[in-house]
């Protein structure tokens, strides 16, 4: 059991954003059902999903504004999340063939918010009040964005063979259109809203506007907000000492001992005459004069 948990941790740590999105969806689904089951065991009838689902009543956004994003990570039942995650994995792998991880996450979040707004607006105008959960709108945006960017991409399907990507996307959209009047009208509206956002995302991207940078900038802002500032290493201060100025050399030439002695003898002669010199002084002066 511990090895399985370690493997899951490793896959989550080193996996891409597709794997993280799948893990987040599974975790949210398990949390909702575990809490719901625990509350039911102690006879407390509280629907946990009402706190994370998106209500078509705009007034509910006042007390749960987070539901514009959280609804895209929770699902109503096992079949709902199973099929959604299969299409999420499929469309995300195709998307990442042409785009990067940050663009995938940005498209998922922004398309979920856009689909949520369209759902709330349309149901409010129809005077229908109903909650919605599921990642279908965001997943459809990823699939349509990839299709718009590379519609002729070959995809190999089991038992069918190679088909064009736009064929797969068209079939899924047609199924949504045919089922729009069934009990999941809000979900299908969100699907088409997500598909429209995926189309707009690629059109703007081709014109030089990357909408995913909105999400990347927000994430970076909050990460830097709660990150501890790095302690600056001690910097050694180097003082700029002035080089010592060389002392000017004296222009006075120091006399050697012989010349000095001669000068002293001459000075003595000038004062007292030659006869006052000693024998040694006379002899020294004689030798110096040669």
């Amino acid at each position: 059991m511990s090895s399985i948990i370690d493997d899951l941790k490793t896959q989550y740590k080193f996996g891409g954003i597709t794997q993280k999105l799948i893990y987040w969806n599974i975790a949210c689904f398990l949390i909702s059902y575990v809490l719901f089951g625990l509350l039911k065991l102690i006879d407390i009838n509280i629907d946990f999903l009402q706190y994370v689902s998106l209500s078509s009543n705009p007034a509910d956004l006042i007390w749960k504004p987070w539901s514009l994003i959280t609804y895209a990570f929770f699902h109503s039942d096992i079949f709902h999340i199973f099929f959604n995650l299969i299409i999420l994995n499929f469309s995300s792998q195709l998307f990442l063939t042409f785009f990067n991880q940050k663009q995938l996450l940005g498209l998922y979040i922004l398309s979920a918010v856009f689909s949520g707004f369209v759902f709330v607006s349309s149901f409010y105008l129809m005077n229908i009040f109903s909650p919605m959960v599921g990642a279908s709108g965001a997943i459809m945006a990823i699939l349509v964005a990839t299709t718009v960017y590379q519609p002729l991409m070959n995809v190999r399907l089991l038992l069918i063979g190679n088909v064009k990507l736009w064929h797969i996307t068209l079939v899924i959209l047609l199924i949504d259109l045919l089922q729009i009047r069934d009990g999941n009208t809000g979900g299908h509206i969100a699907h088409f809203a997500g598909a429209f956002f995926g189309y707009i995302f690629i059109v703007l991207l081709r014109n030089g506007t990357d909408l995913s940078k909105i999400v990347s900038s927000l994430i970076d802002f909050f990460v830097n907000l709660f990150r501890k500032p790095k302690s600056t290493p001690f910097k050694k201060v180097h003082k700029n000492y002035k080089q010592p100025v060389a002392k000017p050399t004296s222009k006075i030439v120091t006399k050697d001992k012989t010349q000095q002695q001669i000068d002293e003898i001459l000075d003595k002669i000038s004062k007292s005459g030659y006869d006052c010199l000693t024998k040694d002084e006379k002899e020294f002066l004689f030798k110096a004069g040669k």
Side-chain angles (χ1 to χ4, degrees):
M1 185 65 181
S2 60
S3 61
I4 296 175
I5 295 175
D6 290 338
D7 288 342
L8 291 174
K9 288 180 179 179
T10 303
Q11 290 177 15
Y12 179 83
K13 184 177 180 180
F14 296 103
I17 194 62
T18 301
Q19 201 148 5
K20 286 180 171 61
L21 286 172
I22 291 173
Y23 276 38
W24 293 343
N25 277 274
I26 293 174
C28 290
F29 177 76
L30 293 176
I31 288 171
S32 64
Y33 266 78
V34 168
L35 284 177
F36 181 76
L38 290 174
L39 292 173
K40 200 170 183 180
L41 284 174
I42 57 178
D43 293 330
I44 298 178
N45 294 321
I46 297 177
D47 186 6
F48 173 75
L49 286 178
Q50 69 173 319
Y51 298 101
V52 294
S53 62
L54 181 62
S55 173
S56 59
N57 184 2
D60 289 340
L61 288 174
I62 298 175
W63 69 272
K64 55 172 186 174
W66 58 82
S67 61
L68 264 175
I69 296 178
T70 56
Y71 86 92
F73 291 92
F74 288 86
H75 294 79
S76 57
D77 55 61
I78 187 67
F79 295 104
H80 188 200
I81 188 173
F82 178 74
F83 289 110
N84 268 355
L85 293 187
I86 288 178
I87 300 176
L88 173 61
N89 184 63
F90 169 76
S91 57
S92 295
Q93 295 299 331
L94 296 179
F95 182 88
L96 290 174
T97 306
F98 311 103
F99 307 103
N100 59 44
Q101 307 277 338
K102 288 185 176 181
Q103 288 173 318
L104 175 59
L105 179 61
L107 179 57
Y108 185 96
I109 298 296
L110 291 176
S111 59
V113 173
F114 179 80
S115 301
F117 271 121
V118 172
F119 163 75
V120 172
S121 303
S122 59
F123 264 43
Y124 180 74
L125 292 175
M126 291 186 291
N127 200 26
I128 302 174
F129 297 102
S130 174
M132 180 179 71
V133 290
S136 306
I139 295 170
M140 189 61 70
I142 296 170
L143 179 61
V144 170
T146 311
T147 305
V148 172
Y149 187 78
Q150 199 66 254
L152 299 180
M153 182 181 184
N154 283 321
V155 180
R156 187 171 184 83
L157 297 180
L158 187 66
L159 303 178
I160 298 177
N162 289 335
V163 294
K164 302 297 182 184
L165 180 57
W166 74 269
H167 294 156
I168 299 173
T169 306
L170 180 62
V171 169
I172 294 175
L173 289 174
L174 286 175
I175 293 173
D176 267 322
L177 185 62
L178 293 174
Q179 294 179 340
I180 199 167
R181 286 187 170 273
D182 68 3
N184 189 27
T185 304
H188 295 301
I189 290 175
H191 294 179
F192 283 107
F196 177 72
F197 189 87
Y199 169 77
I200 294 298
F201 180 84
I202 295 300
V203 171
L204 291 177
L205 192 62
R206 282 174 171 166
N207 291 329
T209 303
D210 187 356
L211 292 177
S212 67
K213 289 184 178 180
I214 300 173
V215 176
S216 300
S217 299
L218 283 173
I219 292 174
D220 291 340
F221 171 77
F222 285 108
V223 168
N224 293 329
L225 188 65
F226 295 103
R227 180 182 293 168
K228 292 182 179 180
K230 292 182 179 179
S231 57
T232 55
F234 174 75
K235 292 182 179 179
K236 187 176 181 180
V237 179
H238 297 273
K239 292 184 179 180
N240 188 16
Y241 289 106
K242 292 183 179 180
Q243 290 184 351
V245 180
K247 293 181 179 181
T249 56
S250 176
K251 294 182 180 180
I252 301 173
V253 178
T254 305
K255 297 179 181 180
D256 57 16
K257 292 182 178 181
T258 303
Q259 184 63 40
Q260 188 177 1
Q261 194 171 356
I262 291 171
D263 291 341
E264 289 175 356
I265 293 171
L266 292 175
D267 186 60
K268 188 176 180 181
I269 292 171
S270 65
K271 289 180 179 181
S272 305
Y274 181 79
D275 295 332
C276 69
L277 299 177
T278 63
K279 184 180 179 181
D280 294 334
E281 288 175 347
K282 290 178 181 180
E283 189 175 342
F284 175 81
L285 187 63
F286 177 78
K287 291 179 179 180
K290 286 183 177 183

